């Protein structure tokens, strides 16, 4: 605890003394918690299929809130794969909060291969069908409002040529130097407000 406290004090002190970044155009490295937050904000909502509005009207989603129209198309670079597996109770000895035996509609969850070779191949489903899909994958969960909608359980993202933390940092430095910059921007965590802003899926603003 003492070691962690000292590290926290050093980090806070360094942050308080650092100059404010008024503007930046260049390479950005998302690592640590920020990497998971980035995927959650931009993809987690969109890969859960949602039905249209009652009365025949099609519910309008903006940006990354509905990716059903992107099935069969490339969402990520080729080396990326993504799947959701609520049946996994732990990962490398760490308990997973997204594990469950049955969803809110009484369906046992399935492992769903969502993205292969960068292409979106499937969606997470509750019992309610959508325009393109029908049949539950066991991902129907009730939220605060009590209504049931498809949502992620344990979302996994993999890269076939993944780099170590040291290699990623070096790649950031190299890219910054090639861009004529003295430094690159590293983001290790996103504030809740930032994550919520990105959940709208406005990739143009994100870039």
């Amino acid at each position: 605890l003492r070691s962690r406290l000292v590290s926290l004090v050093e980090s806070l002190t360094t942050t308080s003394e650092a100059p404010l970044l008024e503007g930046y155009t260049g390479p950005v490295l998302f690592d640590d918690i920020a990497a998971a937050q980035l995927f959650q904000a931009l993809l987690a909502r969109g890969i859960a299929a949602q039905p249209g509005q009652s009365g025949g009207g099609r519910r309008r989603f903006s940006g990354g809130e509905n990716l059903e129209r992107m099935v069969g198309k490339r969402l990520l670079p080729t080396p990326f794969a993504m799947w959701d597996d609520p049946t996994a109770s732990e990962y490398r000895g760490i308990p997973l909060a997204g594990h469950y035996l049955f969803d809110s509609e009484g369906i046992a969850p399935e492992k769903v291969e969502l993205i292969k070779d960068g292409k979106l191949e499937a969606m997470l489903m509750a019992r309610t069908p959508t325009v393109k899909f029908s049949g539950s994958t066991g991902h129907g969960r009730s939220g605060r409002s009590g209504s049931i909608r498809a949502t992620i359980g344990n979302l996994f993202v993999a890269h076939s040529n993944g780099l170590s933390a040291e290699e990623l940092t070096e790649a950031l430095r190299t890219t910054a130097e090639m861009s004529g910059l003295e430094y690159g921007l590293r983001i290790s965590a996103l504030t809740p407000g930032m994550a919520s802003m990105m959940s709208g899926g406005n990739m143009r603003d994100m870039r």
Side-chain angles (χ1 to χ4, degrees):
L1 287 176
R2 179 181 178 83
S3 175
R4 293 174 62 183
L5 179 59
V6 170
S7 177
L8 176 61
V9 171
E10 291 177 348
S11 176
L12 291 174
T13 302
T14 302
T15 301
S16 66
E17 296 174 348
L20 293 177
L21 185 64
E22 296 182 357
Y24 176 80
T25 300
V28 179
L29 171 62
F30 288 87
D31 65 1
D32 202 34
I33 296 175
Q37 289 176 312
L38 181 65
F39 278 101
Q40 180 186 23
L42 295 180
L43 294 176
R45 186 177 177 87
I47 57 176
Q50 305 301 323
Q53 291 180 328
S54 58
R58 179 64 179 156
R59 182 177 179 181
R60 293 186 178 181
F61 290 85
S62 63
E65 290 190 9
N66 183 8
L67 295 174
E68 185 172 324
R69 68 190 185 283
M70 296 297 293
V71 172
K73 299 179 181 179
R74 190 174 308 283
L75 276 185
L76 297 172
T78 303
F80 276 95
M82 187 166 70
W83 64 94
D84 189 89
D85 187 7
T87 67
S89 60
E90 63 176 37
Y91 176 73
R92 295 181 178 177
I94 301 175
L96 298 178
H99 167 65
Y100 56 90
L101 299 179
F102 297 93
D103 69 2
S104 299
E105 297 176 313
I107 304 295
E110 304 172 10
K111 176 182 177 181
V112 181
E113 299 286 350
L114 296 162
I115 294 179
K116 296 180 181 179
D117 298 326
K119 291 184 179 180
L120 181 62
E121 301 287 348
M123 302 283 286
L124 304 179
M125 293 290 298
R127 283 181 181 267
T128 307
T130 67
V131 173
K132 293 184 177 181
F133 296 95
S134 63
S136 175
T137 60
H139 285 79
R141 311 294 298 281
S142 57
R144 295 178 182 177
S145 64
S147 60
I148 296 177
R149 56 171 288 162
T151 186
I152 64 170
N154 294 315
L155 188 63
F156 294 86
V157 180
H159 191 286
S160 60
N161 300 313
L163 303 178
S164 66
E166 294 76 13
E167 290 172 324
L168 284 171
T169 301
E170 184 59 32
L172 175 64
R173 289 178 177 146
T174 301
T175 307
E177 291 176 359
M178 293 174 61
S179 303
L181 301 172
E182 296 181 357
Y183 60 87
L185 190 61
R186 173 180 173 267
I187 299 177
S188 58
L190 300 175
T191 64
M194 176 62 76
S196 297
M197 181 190 77
M198 291 191 300
S199 66
N202 194 331
M203 290 297 292
R204 182 178 61 186
D205 289 348
M206 184 59 203
R207 292 194 185 100

